[in-house]
Amino acid sequence: MEETWLSLITDIGFPIAVTFYLLHRVENKLNTLIESILSLPEKLK
C-alpha cells in the first residue's frame, strides 16, 4: 500500500510542480506585457 502512494505522488506530484513553476513564469511575463500595453498611449503622444 505504501508503494502505491509513493508511486502516485511521484507520478502526479512532479507534473503538478512543473505546471505551477511554468504558470508562475508565464504570469510574470503577462504582467510585464500588460504594463507595456498600458504605457503605450503615453509613449505615442
Side-chain angles (χ1 to χ4, degrees), residues 5-26:
W5 281 107
L6 182 60
S7 175
L8 184 67
I9 290 171
T10 304
D11 291 343
I12 295 175
F14 178 71
I16 289 174
V18 170
T19 301
F20 281 126
Y21 172 72
L22 292 174
L23 283 174
H24 178 69
R25 287 192 52 155
V26 168

Side-chain angles (χ1 to χ4, degrees), residues 31-43:
N31 286 338
T32 304
L33 180 63
I34 290 169
E35 289 173 8
S36 297
I37 290 172
L38 291 176
S39 68
L40 190 59
E42 291 177 8
K43 291 182 179 179

